Amino acid sequence: MIIEGVTNLISAMYYGWTGDISFCAILSLHDFFWDKTVSMNRLRGTGEYDKVFQEGVYNCAGCGTPLYKSTTKFNSGCGWPAFYEGFPGAINRTPDPDGRRTEITCAACGGHLGHVFKGEGFSVPTDERHCVNSVSIKFVPADATPSL
């Protein structure tokens, strides 16, 4: 859908302008957006924590603030770690400008975590899925001893 919108926009620019924009530049812009979308889809399921289900806590990779208990993690099949709730006050929510998704960020440092989706029908208490990027969190096992 994103690619289709970009393609339509680029086509409108090409046919609507009488300036010196070249068809090569339009194709390059289309390829840039296409590559980014395809690349993100290829990353699905490659995150370090997607299949981790040990007992522990997931902290913000940026500042170390505890964000999620491992007991709130579930296998959503989306290819990224999924949680149904975070620690109270640890996560901020901001609707994306297009209204389709809600971004989640660390309340302490503002680091991007991913997006939250509601009403997808998963059998979790909140009917929410926090789709979190593995690089934005660090897992601390319950049996880990503090480093000296």
Side-chain angles (χ1 to χ4, degrees), residues 38-143:
V38 171
S39 294
M40 287 305 293
N41 287 333
R42 286 185 190 147
L43 293 176
R44 182 175 173 250
T46 61
E48 179 180 359
Y49 301 119
D50 182 37
K51 302 292 186 209
V52 173
F53 290 98
Q54 292 174 256
E55 189 177 336
V57 173
Y58 291 86
N59 295 336
C60 175
C63 69
T65 298
L67 300 171
Y68 298 100
K69 294 179 191 176
S70 61
T71 55
T72 66
K73 188 172 186 293
F74 67 102
N75 185 5
S76 69
C78 73
W80 286 274
F83 303 86
Y84 62 81
E85 71 180 351
F87 284 109
I91 298 165
N92 289 333
R93 298 168 184 233
T94 307
D96 281 352
D98 65 7
R100 292 178 31 196
R101 303 184 303 177
T102 299
E103 179 185 23
I104 49 176
T105 56
C106 173
C109 73
H112 174 80
L113 302 172
H115 291 86
V116 64
F117 302 91
K118 294 182 176 190
E120 294 180 316
F122 288 106
S123 296
V124 295
T126 60
D127 198 20
E128 290 187 348
R129 174 176 58 96
H130 293 222
C131 184
V132 180
N133 192 318
S134 286
V135 299
S136 65
I137 53 178
K138 292 291 179 197
F139 178 67
V140 179
D143 59 358

